[in-house]
C-alpha cells in the first residue's frame, strides 16, 4: 500500500460517521495531520491505528483550526 491509498482509507474511516465533511477547513487540517502520521509511521501502521486515534485526531483538528484562526488574526505573533 502506498501513501495515497492509506490516506484515502484513513480519511474514509474519519468521514464514515459524518463528523468530517470533504471541502471543509477541518477536512484539510485532518488530511495534513494524517499525512504527517503516515510519514512517521508508514502507510500500513497508520491505517491500523486510524480507528484507535480517531477521537484524538478530532481534538487535534479542532486545536489546529483554532491555532490557524489565531495566526490569521494576530499575524505579528509567532506560535
Amino acid at each position: 500500500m502506498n501513501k495515497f491509498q492509506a490516506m484515502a482509507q484513513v480519511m474514509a474511516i474519519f468521514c464514515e460517521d459524518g463528523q468530517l465533511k470533504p471541502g471543509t477547513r477541518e477536512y484539510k487540517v485532518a488530511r495534513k495531520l494524517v499525512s504527517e502520521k503516515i510519514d512517521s509511521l508508514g502507510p500500513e501502521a497508520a491505517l491500523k491505528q486510524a480507528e484507535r486515534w480517531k477521537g484524538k485526531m478530532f481534538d487535534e483538528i479542532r486545536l489546529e483550526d483554532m491555532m490557524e484562526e489565531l495566526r490569521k488574526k494576530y499575524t505579528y505573533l509567532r506560535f
Side-chain angles (χ1 to χ4, degrees):
M1 169 182 325
N2 64 32
K3 181 177 180 174
F4 298 107
Q5 293 167 330
M7 174 68 76
Q9 291 181 18
V10 170
M11 293 308 291
I13 290 170
F14 288 167
C15 293
E16 69 188 359
D17 60 359
Q19 279 187 296
L20 198 59
K21 304 227 185 304
T24 62
R25 184 174 38 201
E26 292 84 8
Y27 186 86
K28 292 174 187 172
V29 171
R31 285 188 55 88
K32 177 183 153 203
L33 294 172
V34 169
S35 178
E36 291 171 1
K37 292 284 188 184
I38 292 171
D39 288 342
S40 66
L41 299 173
E44 287 84 13
L47 181 58
K48 286 179 185 176
Q49 291 189 0
E51 194 63 47
R52 286 192 294 181
W53 41 267
K54 183 177 179 179
K56 183 178 183 251
M57 181 64 74
F58 285 119
D59 292 339
E60 287 183 43
I61 291 167
R62 287 184 201 98
L63 180 61
E64 186 68 29
D65 196 34
M66 286 187 284
M67 293 294 290
E68 187 62 32
E69 285 297 314
L70 288 173
R71 284 184 197 109
K72 288 178 184 177
K73 189 173 181 177
Y74 303 105
T75 56
Y76 53 89
L77 295 177
R78 295 183 184 200
F79 50 92

